Amino acid sequence: APAPPAPAPHATTGEPADAATATETASAEEAPEGQGETPEESFRAWLAASRAPDVEVACGYLAPELVDRMVAEMTAQGWPGITDCASMTTTTAGLYAAVGDVPEVEVGVREERADATVLSVVYDGGDCGTAVMAPQGARWVVTEQSEEEC
C-alpha cells in the first residue's frame, strides 16, 4: 500500500511521508486518525537518531521535561559538557559508538492508557526498561524512561 501523504503545508520537500523530514514537520500538526507513527515506531526512530547521532530528530522525540531531568541527572553524576539535549545526545552517541553498541531492541506494548502508551524495551545487550510515550501530532514522544532488571 502506498504511504499516506505527508501533512500540508510542509509537504514541499518531495520526501516520502515516512522520511525524517516529513516526520519532523508533522510533529507540530495534528494528523488525521490512522496516519502517523505508532508508539513503537516513534521509539525506534528516536533510538536510531540518538545513536547516529541526528540531534535535531532525536531531541524532537524527547519531551522537554524529560530532557531537563536527564541533563540534570548527568550533570549531577559529573558528566562534563552536558548542558542541553544536543550535547547529551552527541556525548551518549559517541560512548555507544566507542563500545560498539548497536540500537537493536525488542519493543512491545506493556500498557495503553488514555494519555500515554508504556513500552517494554529489551536491548540486544540484555538490558531492559520501559519508555512512556505520549502522543504529539502525528507521532509520539518519550516522556519517561527507566532501566530495570530483565
Side-chain angles (χ1 to χ4, degrees), residues 66-79:
L66 177 60
V67 170
D68 292 346
R69 288 193 307 266
M70 293 170 78
V71 168
E73 185 177 297
M74 292 179 79
T75 301
Q77 292 173 355
W79 290 71

Side-chain angles (χ1 to χ4, degrees), residues 47-148:
L47 184 62
S50 72
R51 302 291 174 90
D54 184 332
V55 170
E56 186 176 331
V57 171
C59 292
Y61 277 102
L62 296 176
E65 302 80 13
L66 177 60
V67 170
D68 292 346
R69 288 193 307 266
M70 293 170 78
V71 168
E73 185 177 297
M74 292 179 79
T75 301
Q77 292 173 355
W79 290 71
I82 305 295
T83 58
D84 57 10
C85 188
S87 58
M88 176 180 68
T89 300
T90 302
T91 299
T92 55
L95 292 173
Y96 286 122
V99 298
D101 191 51
V102 293
E104 295 296 322
V105 295
E106 289 182 33
V107 180
V109 174
R110 177 180 283 184
E111 177 186 357
E112 289 183 325
R113 304 189 305 231
D115 62 338
T117 295
V118 180
L119 300 178
S120 172
V121 183
V122 180
Y123 295 90
D124 196 37
D127 293 331
C128 296
T130 60
V132 178
M133 307 295 291
Q136 183 179 75
R139 63 180 178 175
W140 297 70
V141 296
V142 184
T143 60
E144 294 179 44
Q145 277 191 290
S146 71
E147 291 183 21
E148 304 166 1

Side-chain angles (χ1 to χ4, degrees), residues 28-45:
E29 299 176 15
E30 200 60 40
E33 190 66 34
Q35 295 185 2
E37 297 177 348
T38 66
E40 297 93 330
E41 289 168 340
S42 289
F43 181 83
R44 288 179 186 279

Side-chain angles (χ1 to χ4, degrees), residues 4-34:
H10 302 290
T12 58
T13 62
E15 295 283 340
D18 61 346
T21 53
T23 301
E24 289 168 24
T25 58
S27 66
E29 299 176 15
E30 200 60 40
E33 190 66 34

